[in-house]
Amino acid sequence: MNASQKVIITHPEKMLFPEQGFTKQDLIKYYEAVSGHLLPFLKNRPLMLHRFPQGIKKQGFYQKDIGASFPDWIGRVSVAREKQEPIDQAVINTKAGLRFVINQNTIVLHPWLSTVKDLHKPDKIIFDLDPAEGGFKTAVKGALLLRELLEKKYGLTCFVMTTGSSGLHVTIPVKPNHDFDMVRPFALAIGNELAAMYPAEFTTEQRIEDRKSRLFVDYMRNSYAQTAVAPYSVRALPGAPVAAPLFWEELLDKNLKAQMYTIETMPERLKKAGNPWQDFRKQAKSLTRALQKQKAELQKRQV
């Protein structure tokens, strides 16, 4: 880090989580403690920042376009938009960059599913299992079923994490060989397979009134310019819960909750248990065979 990249924390005493008494300094301390595990999931990706200048009790705002408001040394990428001018989005690859955006009262980090190498080709697929209130067990069941389907039938490797909000994400690392126009229909078809097997519990219906209390298998993040909360990101909720990567066997723990880990407990968890997603990128596989298998099956059903 050179002198121009030194970030002085302004108003470290600012209260961001008043119920717990967590300040901006506490948030900075957490993000610096987990930065070695977090930064690989931000690297080379456009980033949407969820900022709370007055803490979580006041409404925050989402920032995509950093324009000229961020210093020159902060990474950025020009992002094309349909019928609008391009915008510059932050790309945070370093501890200094992370420190800078957190100093801007950023609590939640939302990276893209693709990298600056080719913004139209994702290198991961995400299923967001967000249950109705009190339905976390259904999210757990859905995650385990998705894993079985994707790994045994389609030969892909799945990872799971609590979102720190109310549900789970099942994430599949893939090689960025296919664009979103191919990946999103693949994800939808997987969701439909799960819903067909358990129609009383799961659905891909987008309209809330059509879901009828079933869990929505959300495949819609698998699109250009969509984002998902980063592993180890803090959520802007009381208690300062974090998105927590899990080992698959942890889903069998009856005490597991979506907000189980916080900025107080996650650093110690990492020291003791390690990072369940340590080999995430190493497990990336080409989607070609899975796409071919799915296409063949769909054609059979139409005959």
Side-chain angles (χ1 to χ4, degrees):
M1 185 194 308
N2 59 43
S4 68
Q5 295 180 12
K6 188 172 182 181
V7 180
I8 304 298
I9 302 304
T10 54
H11 305 292
E13 76 289 348
K14 181 179 285 188
M15 195 60 63
L16 297 180
F17 295 85
E19 288 183 24
Q20 288 71 40
F22 295 152
T23 63
K24 185 197 285 190
Q25 185 61 56
D26 294 320
L27 189 67
I28 294 275
K29 182 181 177 183
Y30 166 76
Y31 271 119
E32 292 192 337
V34 303
S35 61
H37 301 290
L38 165 67
L39 283 169
F41 294 101
L42 304 182
K43 187 176 181 182
N44 294 333
R45 298 177 192 278
L47 192 61
M48 181 172 72
L49 310 171
H50 200 181
R51 296 172 58 184
F52 291 82
Q54 297 176 295
I56 68 166
K57 289 295 185 182
K58 301 286 185 179
Q59 189 168 3
F61 67 95
Y62 292 97
Q63 182 174 13
K64 294 182 181 180
D65 189 0
I66 62 172
S69 63
F70 280 30
D72 291 343
W73 60 266
I74 291 289
R76 63 192 67 211
V77 61
S78 179
V79 173
R81 299 187 297 168
E82 192 174 351
K83 299 178 182 178
Q84 291 178 288
E85 290 295 311
I87 58 172
D88 281 348
Q89 286 194 236
V91 177
I92 302 300
N93 292 346
T94 65
K95 287 185 180 180
L98 181 62
R99 187 176 172 91
F100 178 86
V101 296
I102 304 307
N103 188 49
Q104 303 298 306
N105 304 297
T106 299
I107 291 180
V108 196
L109 302 165
H110 299 271
W112 282 36
L113 279 67
S114 56
T115 71
V116 297
K117 187 174 181 181
D118 191 334
L119 293 177
H120 293 275
K121 292 182 178 178
D123 64 359
K124 64 180 75 172
I125 298 170
I126 295 178
F127 292 93
D128 182 5
L129 305 177
D130 191 10
E133 190 173 347
F136 188 68
K137 287 182 180 178
T138 307
V140 169
K141 180 176 179 178
L144 292 168
L145 290 168
L146 276 173
R147 183 194 189 193
E148 185 175 12
L149 180 63
L150 287 158
E151 293 195 350
K152 289 186 177 179
K153 185 172 180 178
Y154 292 101
L156 301 170
T157 303
C158 298
F159 292 78
V160 67
M161 76 174 188
T162 64
T163 62
S165 181
S166 59
L168 295 167
H169 279 182
V170 174
T171 305
I172 304 97
V174 294
K175 293 183 178 177
N177 300 332
H178 303 279
D179 62 25
F180 283 108
D181 288 341
M182 294 189 74
V183 173
R184 180 178 161 123
F186 173 80
L188 169 58
I190 294 293
N192 285 336
E193 275 196 73
L194 179 60
M197 288 189 287
Y198 298 89
E201 294 175 90
F202 305 103
T203 181
T204 55
E205 290 286 352
Q206 292 183 32
R207 290 162 58 91
I208 293 174
E209 56 267 33
D210 292 334
R211 295 178 194 169
K212 298 175 183 175
S213 77
R214 293 172 293 177
L215 185 145
F216 176 47
V217 182
D218 189 351
Y219 61 92
M220 297 173 67
R221 297 179 186 277
N222 302 289
S223 303
Y224 177 79
Q226 294 299 304
T227 64
V229 65
Y232 302 109
S233 174
V234 184
R235 305 309 300 263
L237 297 167
V242 303
L246 301 173
F247 296 99
W248 276 103
E249 55 268 25
E250 290 181 284
L251 286 192
L252 305 179
D253 181 352
K254 292 179 181 177
N255 296 316
L256 181 68
K257 296 179 179 63
Q259 298 183 19
M260 188 158 179
Y261 297 102
T262 70
I263 64 171
E264 286 189 301
T265 60
M266 180 53 79
E268 188 63 25
R269 167 178 162 80
L270 280 166
K271 284 179 187 174
K272 287 184 177 178
N275 181 1
W277 288 26
Q278 189 69 44
D279 295 329
F280 184 85
R281 284 264 48 97
K282 292 178 184 175
Q283 297 298 325
K285 296 182 174 67
S286 172
L287 203 56
T288 302
R289 285 188 179 179
L291 285 166
Q292 290 170 344
K293 187 177 184 68
Q294 190 181 76
K295 183 179 178 181
E297 280 216 356
L298 290 171
Q299 286 174 341
K300 273 184 188 176
R301 290 178 202 162
Q302 292 168 359
V303 172

